[in-house]
Amino acid sequence: QRRVQDLPLNGRNIYDLMALMPGVTNVCTSITGTNDTNEMNVNGQNIRNNNFFLDGAMNNSLYRNGGNMAPNPDAVEEFHMITSNFDAEYGRLPGSVMNVVTRSGGNQFHGSLFEFLRNDSLNAHNFFLSSVTPLKRNQFGAALGGPIRKDKTFFFASYQGLRIATNSSVTGVLTPTPAQRAGDFSSLAPAKW
């Protein structure tokens, strides 16, 4: 758990750790939970041939067969990825098995608060733009675990929020007028040689 929290995860998505495994390429992850994310090629298999589990239960998107969102790193106890020779209990897809185990409470209260801020203060501007694109990205949350009944019942809860404020980039591309699309370029100024 300590290693998971200490590793640099851009965007704090636990699935980014898949890229560290041998035989894993084309890792595509997102914390927003869209249907075309949390996929990778493992040992030459198709990106849609991977099993994702959360606490031992299937966590695949049934629409595109990618992995559903994973909990934030503060809520993860361990993750385990098997890239070959896995047991029949993991059947269904031949690519790999990614199992994420969440933390649980205990007899002592424990928790954490976090906030990660990324902004445009140190960003370079795009070559094709005259200024830096504004960016304010706040990723924040908390995790708390503890006893409900000592030595019997425990709880653990976690929350992560993401707020992004940015402008879309504007380029200087001009689209042709309807007349120009029809082949009439008489409205253009003559070239000066």
Side-chain angles (χ1 to χ4, degrees):
Q1 172 195 358
R2 191 79 216 150
R3 286 188 212 162
V4 167
Q5 290 180 356
D6 289 343
L7 286 170
L9 294 172
N10 186 14
R12 292 179 47 84
N13 187 345
I14 195 74
Y15 289 146
D16 284 331
L17 296 174
M18 297 181 298
L20 301 175
M21 299 294 292
V24 178
T25 60
N26 299 327
V27 176
C28 175
T29 63
S30 173
I31 59 172
T32 59
T34 61
N35 288 319
D36 289 323
T37 56
N38 301 327
E39 303 164 335
M40 70 282 188
N41 293 101
V42 178
N43 297 330
Q45 291 288 331
N46 187 294
I47 61 172
R48 309 253 190 248
N49 285 347
N50 299 295
N51 296 296
F52 290 84
F53 291 92
L54 181 63
D55 291 330
M58 188 182 89
N59 195 29
N60 281 56
S61 164
L62 297 178
Y63 179 65
R64 294 277 182 129
N65 216 27
N68 286 326
M69 294 187 308
N72 68 64
D74 288 299
V76 172
E77 182 72 32
E78 66 181 69
F79 81 99
H80 186 222
M81 184 172 187
I82 307 170
T83 59
S84 63
N85 296 332
F86 43 87
D87 294 332
E89 69 180 294
Y90 297 116
R92 190 168 178 266
L93 299 168
S96 69
V97 174
M98 176 69 173
N99 190 15
V100 176
V101 179
T102 57
R103 291 174 62 183
S104 62
N107 283 326
Q108 302 292 325
F109 285 99
H110 57 276
S112 63
L113 294 171
F114 62 88
E115 179 173 12
F116 296 91
L117 170 67
R118 197 184 308 174
N119 59 30
D120 55 17
S121 296
L122 299 175
N123 289 357
H125 71 83
N126 184 317
F127 179 79
F128 298 103
L129 299 176
S130 60
S131 64
V132 175
T133 304
L135 170 67
K136 300 280 186 279
R137 178 188 169 113
N138 290 42
Q139 199 165 1
F140 55 90
L144 178 66
I148 294 175
R149 189 170 169 204
K150 188 173 172 89
D151 293 328
K152 299 282 185 189
T153 310
F154 311 102
F155 77 94
F156 187 85
S158 173
Y159 171 77
Q160 176 172 277
L162 175 65
R163 306 291 184 265
I164 300 175
T166 186
N167 290 345
S168 59
S169 63
V170 178
T171 62
V173 175
L174 299 175
T175 58
T177 64
Q180 290 170 341
R181 278 184 262 156
D184 180 9
F185 296 101
S186 61
S187 63
L188 294 176
K192 296 181 181 180
W193 297 94

